[in-house]
Amino acid sequence: VDGNCMTLSADALEKGGKDQLWLETVVEVEPEKNTQLSGLYYSGSMYCTQMEAEGFRRFTYFLDRPDVMAKFTEVRLEADESTCPILLSNGNRTDSGKLEGGRHYSVWSDPFAKPSYLFAVVAGDLASIQDKFVTKSGRSVHLEIFAAKEDKDQLWHAMRSLQNSMKWDEERFGLEYDLDIYNIVAVKDFNMGAMENKSLNVFNTSLTLAREDTATDDDYERIESVIGHEYFHNWTGNRVTCRDWFQLTLKEGLTVF
């Protein structure tokens, strides 16, 4: 490691033969001081991430390119339960429990290979609404949308939009959702409109919150459009990703709705 650069030589990799190479990195970050809204940062009542395009390298050492795919098979989050009762990451939750000193943990596993820009973490004191979607093969998918507690009553249009998007993708293209959980988090400080992190979408609140007495027809239409766009990325962008960032328009163009 030289400054902010870590180098692994090709010779070191070749000497491993067919054996796996295990690399463990330990890093310290200060999300409360991260004002670039890239990597891991703090917003309102939650810690959250934004990794596209090159935020993951601000989080830890990694081959942070869209053509480098990896399986994040065990992501373990630990935090103080009173300040961060909600702990979210990609994939399905495989374990959770309480620890000493008022702390708790949650373990997430995503069985599908993905580039690092789709990795996501959210931790905080949030409210949520819940529902489900039954796929054409009969699987029940748990749907949950999170936001600050004062915004909980403005999430139901986003939930209906998500369910409609899942149904449309099945009927139009035969594409069934491939995990057991789909989460969306509404964040007030977010440098994009929304982000298609695998199974854990992060949205700007302006594209998630709507209530009949304050929102316009344009607001409702825009939310439905972006909810659908990020969901459709599950296949065009997440499972089938771009070679490099010069192909950004390709993955985005394929998911225009």
Side-chain angles (χ1 to χ4, degrees), residues 76-121:
R76 180 185 174 97
L77 307 176
E78 295 185 12
D80 181 87
E81 190 170 14
S82 63
T83 56
C84 293
I86 303 298
L87 299 174
L88 305 173
S89 191
N90 309 94
N92 297 319
R93 181 165 44 214
T94 59
D95 192 15
S96 62
K98 297 184 181 297
L99 301 168
E100 295 181 357
R103 295 176 65 81
H104 71 134
Y105 72 93
S106 184
V107 180
W108 295 80
S109 178
D110 183 358
F112 302 108
K114 63 176 177 286
S116 56
Y117 78 87
L118 294 173
F119 176 85
V121 166

Short mmCIF file of all heavy atoms in Angstrom, two decimals, residues 76-121:
data_model
loop_
_atom_site.label_atom_id
_atom_site.label_comp_id
_atom_site.label_asym_id
_atom_site.label_seq_id
_atom_site.Cartn_x
_atom_site.Cartn_y
_atom_site.Cartn_z
N ARG A 76 -22.10 -8.44 6.71
CA ARG A 76 -22.55 -8.36 8.11
C ARG A 76 -22.47 -6.91 8.58
O ARG A 76 -21.42 -6.29 8.51
CB ARG A 76 -21.71 -9.26 9.00
CG ARG A 76 -22.12 -9.24 10.49
CD ARG A 76 -21.16 -10.05 11.34
NE ARG A 76 -21.43 -9.93 12.75
CZ ARG A 76 -22.15 -10.79 13.47
NH1 ARG A 76 -22.65 -11.87 12.88
NH2 ARG A 76 -22.35 -10.60 14.76
N LEU A 77 -23.58 -6.40 9.05
CA LEU A 77 -23.67 -5.04 9.56
C LEU A 77 -23.92 -5.09 11.06
O LEU A 77 -24.76 -5.86 11.53
CB LEU A 77 -24.82 -4.28 8.88
CG LEU A 77 -24.83 -4.26 7.34
CD1 LEU A 77 -26.07 -3.55 6.84
CD2 LEU A 77 -23.57 -3.61 6.80
N GLU A 78 -23.20 -4.27 11.81
CA GLU A 78 -23.40 -4.15 13.25
C GLU A 78 -23.54 -2.68 13.61
O GLU A 78 -22.86 -1.83 13.05
CB GLU A 78 -22.23 -4.76 14.03
CG GLU A 78 -22.06 -6.26 13.86
CD GLU A 78 -20.96 -6.81 14.75
OE1 GLU A 78 -20.50 -6.07 15.65
OE2 GLU A 78 -20.56 -7.97 14.55
N ALA A 79 -24.43 -2.39 14.57
CA ALA A 79 -24.63 -1.00 14.98
C ALA A 79 -25.35 -0.95 16.32
O ALA A 79 -25.88 -1.97 16.80
CB ALA A 79 -25.45 -0.26 13.93
N ASP A 80 -25.37 0.24 16.89
CA ASP A 80 -26.16 0.47 18.09
C ASP A 80 -27.64 0.39 17.72
O ASP A 80 -28.09 1.10 16.81
CB ASP A 80 -25.82 1.84 18.68
CG ASP A 80 -26.59 2.12 19.95
OD1 ASP A 80 -26.12 1.73 21.03
OD2 ASP A 80 -27.68 2.72 19.85
N GLU A 81 -28.40 -0.45 18.42
CA GLU A 81 -29.79 -0.68 18.04
C GLU A 81 -30.68 0.53 18.28
O GLU A 81 -31.66 0.74 17.56
CB GLU A 81 -30.34 -1.89 18.77
CG GLU A 81 -31.70 -2.35 18.26
CD GLU A 81 -32.13 -3.68 18.82
OE1 GLU A 81 -31.51 -4.14 19.81
OE2 GLU A 81 -33.08 -4.28 18.27
N SER A 82 -30.35 1.36 19.26
CA SER A 82 -31.20 2.51 19.55
C SER A 82 -31.09 3.59 18.48
O SER A 82 -32.07 4.28 18.19
CB SER A 82 -30.83 3.09 20.92
OG SER A 82 -29.49 3.58 20.92
N THR A 83 -29.92 3.75 17.88
CA THR A 83 -29.74 4.79 16.85
C THR A 83 -29.90 4.24 15.43
O THR A 83 -30.28 4.99 14.53
CB THR A 83 -28.35 5.43 16.97
OG1 THR A 83 -27.34 4.41 16.89
CG2 THR A 83 -28.22 6.16 18.29
N CYS A 84 -29.61 2.94 15.24
CA CYS A 84 -29.72 2.32 13.91
C CYS A 84 -30.48 1.00 14.02
O CYS A 84 -29.90 -0.08 13.85
CB CYS A 84 -28.35 2.09 13.30
SG CYS A 84 -27.44 3.59 12.89
N PRO A 85 -31.78 1.05 14.29
CA PRO A 85 -32.55 -0.21 14.38
C PRO A 85 -32.73 -0.90 13.04
O PRO A 85 -33.02 -2.10 12.99
CB PRO A 85 -33.89 0.24 14.95
CG PRO A 85 -34.00 1.69 14.57
CD PRO A 85 -32.61 2.22 14.60
N ILE A 86 -32.57 -0.15 11.94
CA ILE A 86 -32.70 -0.73 10.59
C ILE A 86 -31.32 -0.90 9.99
O ILE A 86 -30.54 0.05 9.91
CB ILE A 86 -33.56 0.17 9.69
CG1 ILE A 86 -34.94 0.41 10.30
CG2 ILE A 86 -33.66 -0.42 8.29
CD1 ILE A 86 -35.77 -0.85 10.47
N LEU A 87 -31.00 -2.14 9.56
CA LEU A 87 -29.73 -2.45 8.91
C LEU A 87 -30.03 -3.18 7.60
O LEU A 87 -30.55 -4.29 7.60
CB LEU A 87 -28.86 -3.34 9.81
CG LEU A 87 -28.46 -2.77 11.18
CD1 LEU A 87 -27.73 -3.82 12.00
CD2 LEU A 87 -27.59 -1.52 11.02
N LEU A 88 -29.68 -2.56 6.47
CA LEU A 88 -30.03 -3.10 5.15
C LEU A 88 -28.80 -3.22 4.25
O LEU A 88 -27.90 -2.39 4.32
CB LEU A 88 -31.06 -2.20 4.46
CG LEU A 88 -32.35 -1.87 5.21
CD1 LEU A 88 -33.14 -0.83 4.43
CD2 LEU A 88 -33.17 -3.13 5.44
N SER A 89 -28.83 -4.24 3.39
CA SER A 89 -27.83 -4.35 2.33
C SER A 89 -28.47 -5.12 1.17
O SER A 89 -29.68 -5.34 1.15
CB SER A 89 -26.56 -5.04 2.83
OG SER A 89 -25.52 -4.91 1.86
N ASN A 90 -27.65 -5.53 0.21
CA ASN A 90 -28.17 -6.21 -0.98
C ASN A 90 -28.54 -7.66 -0.68
O ASN A 90 -27.99 -8.29 0.21
CB ASN A 90 -27.12 -6.22 -2.10
CG ASN A 90 -26.54 -4.87 -2.39
OD1 ASN A 90 -25.50 -4.52 -1.85
ND2 ASN A 90 -27.19 -4.10 -3.24
N GLY A 91 -29.47 -8.19 -1.48
CA GLY A 91 -29.80 -9.61 -1.42
C GLY A 91 -30.86 -9.94 -0.40
O GLY A 91 -31.72 -9.12 -0.06
N ASN A 92 -30.79 -11.18 0.11
CA ASN A 92 -31.72 -11.65 1.13
C ASN A 92 -31.08 -11.60 2.50
O ASN A 92 -29.88 -11.86 2.64
CB ASN A 92 -32.14 -13.09 0.82
CG ASN A 92 -32.89 -13.22 -0.49
OD1 ASN A 92 -33.72 -12.38 -0.83
ND2 ASN A 92 -32.59 -14.26 -1.25
N ARG A 93 -31.88 -11.31 3.51
CA ARG A 93 -31.36 -11.33 4.88
C ARG A 93 -31.30 -12.77 5.35
O ARG A 93 -32.30 -13.49 5.34
CB ARG A 93 -32.22 -10.50 5.81
CG ARG A 93 -31.70 -10.47 7.25
CD ARG A 93 -32.34 -9.38 8.06
NE ARG A 93 -33.78 -9.32 7.85
CZ ARG A 93 -34.50 -8.21 7.87
NH1 ARG A 93 -33.91 -7.05 8.05
NH2 ARG A 93 -35.80 -8.24 7.68
N THR A 94 -30.12 -13.22 5.78
CA THR A 94 -29.92 -14.61 6.18
C THR A 94 -29.80 -14.79 7.68
O THR A 94 -29.95 -15.91 8.18
CB THR A 94 -28.65 -15.19 5.52
OG1 THR A 94 -27.51 -14.39 5.89
CG2 THR A 94 -28.79 -15.18 3.99
N ASP A 95 -29.53 -13.71 8.42
CA ASP A 95 -29.38 -13.83 9.86
C ASP A 95 -29.50 -12.45 10.49
O ASP A 95 -29.20 -11.43 9.84
CB ASP A 95 -28.03 -14.46 10.22
CG ASP A 95 -27.94 -14.89 11.68
OD1 ASP A 95 -29.00 -14.96 12.34
OD2 ASP A 95 -26.82 -15.14 12.15
N SER A 96 -29.91 -12.40 11.73
CA SER A 96 -29.96 -11.16 12.49
C SER A 96 -30.07 -11.52 13.97
O SER A 96 -30.47 -12.63 14.32
CB SER A 96 -31.15 -10.28 12.07
OG SER A 96 -32.38 -10.94 12.32
N GLY A 97 -29.71 -10.58 14.82
CA GLY A 97 -29.80 -10.86 16.25
C GLY A 97 -29.25 -9.73 17.08
O GLY A 97 -28.76 -8.72 16.56
N LYS A 98 -29.31 -9.92 18.39
CA LYS A 98 -28.85 -8.91 19.33
C LYS A 98 -27.46 -9.26 19.85
O LYS A 98 -27.09 -10.43 19.94
CB LYS A 98 -29.84 -8.79 20.49
CG LYS A 98 -31.23 -8.31 20.07
CD LYS A 98 -32.12 -8.11 21.27
CE LYS A 98 -33.51 -7.65 20.85
NZ LYS A 98 -33.48 -6.33 20.17
N LEU A 99 -26.70 -8.21 20.21
CA LEU A 99 -25.36 -8.36 20.75
C LEU A 99 -25.28 -7.64 22.09
O LEU A 99 -26.22 -6.95 22.50
CB LEU A 99 -24.33 -7.76 19.78
CG LEU A 99 -24.28 -8.36 18.37
CD1 LEU A 99 -23.44 -7.49 17.45
CD2 LEU A 99 -23.74 -9.79 18.41
N GLU A 100 -24.18 -7.81 22.77
CA GLU A 100 -23.99 -7.14 24.06
C GLU A 100 -23.85 -5.63 23.87
O GLU A 100 -23.49 -5.14 22.80
CB GLU A 100 -22.74 -7.69 24.74
CG GLU A 100 -22.84 -9.16 25.14
CD GLU A 100 -21.58 -9.65 25.85
OE1 GLU A 100 -20.62 -8.85 25.96
OE2 GLU A 100 -21.56 -10.82 26.28
N GLY A 101 -24.16 -4.90 24.94
CA GLY A 101 -23.98 -3.46 24.92
C GLY A 101 -25.01 -2.71 24.11
O GLY A 101 -24.74 -1.59 23.64
N GLY A 102 -26.18 -3.30 23.90
CA GLY A 102 -27.22 -2.62 23.15
C GLY A 102 -27.02 -2.60 21.65
O GLY A 102 -27.70 -1.84 20.94
N ARG A 103 -26.13 -3.43 21.15
CA ARG A 103 -25.87 -3.49 19.72
C ARG A 103 -26.65 -4.65 19.09
O ARG A 103 -27.14 -5.55 19.78
CB ARG A 103 -24.37 -3.63 19.44
CG ARG A 103 -23.58 -2.41 19.88
CD ARG A 103 -22.08 -2.60 19.69
NE ARG A 103 -21.70 -2.73 18.28
CZ ARG A 103 -21.55 -1.70 17.45
NH1 ARG A 103 -21.73 -0.47 17.88
NH2 ARG A 103 -21.18 -1.88 16.20
N HIS A 104 -26.74 -4.65 17.77
CA HIS A 104 -27.37 -5.76 17.05
C HIS A 104 -26.69 -5.91 15.70
O HIS A 104 -25.86 -5.09 15.30
CB HIS A 104 -28.88 -5.55 16.92
CG HIS A 104 -29.27 -4.45 15.97
ND1 HIS A 104 -30.26 -4.58 15.02
CD2 HIS A 104 -28.80 -3.18 15.79
CE1 HIS A 104 -30.40 -3.47 14.34
NE2 HIS A 104 -29.52 -2.60 14.78
N TYR A 105 -27.06 -6.99 14.98
CA TYR A 105 -26.41 -7.25 13.70
C TYR A 105 -27.44 -7.78 12.70
O TYR A 105 -28.52 -8.25 13.05
CB TYR A 105 -25.28 -8.26 13.86
CG TYR A 105 -25.74 -9.68 14.12
CD1 TYR A 105 -25.92 -10.59 13.08
CD2 TYR A 105 -26.02 -10.11 15.42
CE1 TYR A 105 -26.35 -11.88 13.31
CE2 TYR A 105 -26.45 -11.39 15.67
CZ TYR A 105 -26.62 -12.28 14.61
OH TYR A 105 -27.07 -13.56 14.86
N SER A 106 -27.06 -7.70 11.43
CA SER A 106 -27.88 -8.23 10.34
C SER A 106 -26.93 -8.71 9.25
O SER A 106 -25.94 -8.04 8.94
CB SER A 106 -28.82 -7.16 9.80
OG SER A 106 -29.67 -7.67 8.81
N VAL A 107 -27.20 -9.89 8.70
CA VAL A 107 -26.35 -10.48 7.67
C VAL A 107 -27.15 -10.60 6.37
O VAL A 107 -28.29 -11.11 6.38
CB VAL A 107 -25.83 -11.87 8.10
CG1 VAL A 107 -24.94 -12.46 7.00
CG2 VAL A 107 -25.07 -11.77 9.42
N TRP A 108 -26.55 -10.17 5.28
CA TRP A 108 -27.22 -10.17 3.97
C TRP A 108 -26.38 -10.95 2.97
O TRP A 108 -25.15 -10.91 3.01
CB TRP A 108 -27.42 -8.74 3.48
CG TRP A 108 -28.36 -7.97 4.36
CD1 TRP A 108 -28.08 -7.37 5.55
CD2 TRP A 108 -29.75 -7.75 4.13
NE1 TRP A 108 -29.20 -6.79 6.07
CE2 TRP A 108 -30.25 -7.00 5.23
CE3 TRP A 108 -30.63 -8.11 3.10
CZ2 TRP A 108 -31.57 -6.61 5.31
CZ3 TRP A 108 -31.96 -7.72 3.19
CH2 TRP A 108 -32.43 -6.98 4.28
N SER A 109 -27.06 -11.63 2.06
CA SER A 109 -26.37 -12.42 1.05
C SER A 109 -27.02 -12.21 -0.32
O SER A 109 -28.24 -12.39 -0.46
CB SER A 109 -26.42 -13.91 1.41
OG SER A 109 -25.78 -14.69 0.41
N ASP A 110 -26.20 -11.82 -1.28
CA ASP A 110 -26.65 -11.67 -2.66
C ASP A 110 -25.97 -12.76 -3.50
O ASP A 110 -24.76 -12.72 -3.70
CB ASP A 110 -26.29 -10.29 -3.19
CG ASP A 110 -26.82 -10.06 -4.61
OD1 ASP A 110 -27.43 -10.98 -5.18
OD2 ASP A 110 -26.63 -8.95 -5.13
N PRO A 111 -26.71 -13.74 -3.99
CA PRO A 111 -26.09 -14.86 -4.71
C PRO A 111 -25.63 -14.53 -6.12
O PRO A 111 -24.94 -15.34 -6.74
CB PRO A 111 -27.21 -15.90 -4.75
CG PRO A 111 -28.47 -15.10 -4.75
CD PRO A 111 -28.18 -13.90 -3.89
N PHE A 112 -25.98 -13.35 -6.62
CA PHE A 112 -25.67 -13.01 -8.00
C PHE A 112 -24.46 -12.08 -8.08
O PHE A 112 -24.35 -11.13 -7.31
CB PHE A 112 -26.87 -12.34 -8.67
CG PHE A 112 -28.11 -13.19 -8.67
CD1 PHE A 112 -29.18 -12.89 -7.85
CD2 PHE A 112 -28.18 -14.31 -9.47
CE1 PHE A 112 -30.31 -13.67 -7.84
CE2 PHE A 112 -29.31 -15.12 -9.47
CZ PHE A 112 -30.37 -14.80 -8.65
N ALA A 113 -23.57 -12.38 -9.00
CA ALA A 113 -22.40 -11.52 -9.20
C ALA A 113 -22.84 -10.14 -9.67
O ALA A 113 -23.75 -10.01 -10.49
CB ALA A 113 -21.46 -12.16 -10.21
N LYS A 114 -22.15 -9.12 -9.15
CA LYS A 114 -22.49 -7.75 -9.55
C LYS A 114 -21.24 -6.88 -9.45
O LYS A 114 -20.32 -7.19 -8.69
CB LYS A 114 -23.59 -7.17 -8.67
CG LYS A 114 -23.25 -7.03 -7.19
CD LYS A 114 -24.40 -6.36 -6.44
CE LYS A 114 -24.09 -6.26 -4.94
NZ LYS A 114 -24.21 -7.55 -4.27
N PRO A 115 -21.19 -5.78 -10.19
CA PRO A 115 -20.09 -4.83 -10.04
C PRO A 115 -20.23 -4.05 -8.73
O PRO A 115 -21.33 -3.94 -8.17
CB PRO A 115 -20.24 -3.92 -11.26
CG PRO A 115 -21.68 -4.02 -11.64
CD PRO A 115 -22.12 -5.40 -11.27
N SER A 116 -19.15 -3.48 -8.27
CA SER A 116 -19.14 -2.83 -6.96
C SER A 116 -20.05 -1.60 -6.90
O SER A 116 -20.49 -1.22 -5.81
CB SER A 116 -17.71 -2.43 -6.59
OG SER A 116 -17.14 -1.61 -7.61
N TYR A 117 -20.36 -0.99 -8.04
CA TYR A 117 -21.19 0.21 -7.99
C TYR A 117 -22.63 -0.11 -7.60
O TYR A 117 -23.42 0.81 -7.30
CB TYR A 117 -21.14 0.98 -9.32
CG TYR A 117 -21.98 0.43 -10.45
CD1 TYR A 117 -23.31 0.80 -10.59
CD2 TYR A 117 -21.45 -0.43 -11.41
CE1 TYR A 117 -24.10 0.32 -11.64
CE2 TYR A 117 -22.21 -0.91 -12.45
CZ TYR A 117 -23.54 -0.55 -12.56
OH TYR A 117 -24.31 -1.02 -13.59
N LEU A 118 -23.00 -1.40 -7.56
CA LEU A 118 -24.35 -1.79 -7.15
C LEU A 118 -24.42 -2.22 -5.69
O LEU A 118 -25.49 -2.57 -5.20
CB LEU A 118 -24.86 -2.93 -8.05
CG LEU A 118 -25.09 -2.56 -9.52
CD1 LEU A 118 -25.41 -3.80 -10.34
CD2 LEU A 118 -26.21 -1.54 -9.63
N PHE A 119 -23.30 -2.17 -4.99
CA PHE A 119 -23.30 -2.49 -3.57
C PHE A 119 -23.96 -1.35 -2.80
O PHE A 119 -23.79 -0.18 -3.13
CB PHE A 119 -21.87 -2.69 -3.07
CG PHE A 119 -21.76 -2.93 -1.59
CD1 PHE A 119 -21.91 -4.21 -1.07
CD2 PHE A 119 -21.50 -1.88 -0.72
CE1 PHE A 119 -21.80 -4.44 0.29
CE2 PHE A 119 -21.39 -2.08 0.64
CZ PHE A 119 -21.55 -3.37 1.15
N ALA A 120 -24.71 -1.71 -1.75
CA ALA A 120 -25.39 -0.66 -0.98
C ALA A 120 -25.53 -1.06 0.48
O ALA A 120 -25.65 -2.25 0.81
CB ALA A 120 -26.77 -0.36 -1.56
N VAL A 121 -25.50 -0.06 1.34
CA VAL A 121 -25.73 -0.22 2.78
C VAL A 121 -26.60 0.94 3.23
O VAL A 121 -26.38 2.09 2.83
CB VAL A 121 -24.41 -0.23 3.57
CG1 VAL A 121 -24.68 -0.06 5.06
CG2 VAL A 121 -23.64 -1.51 3.33
#
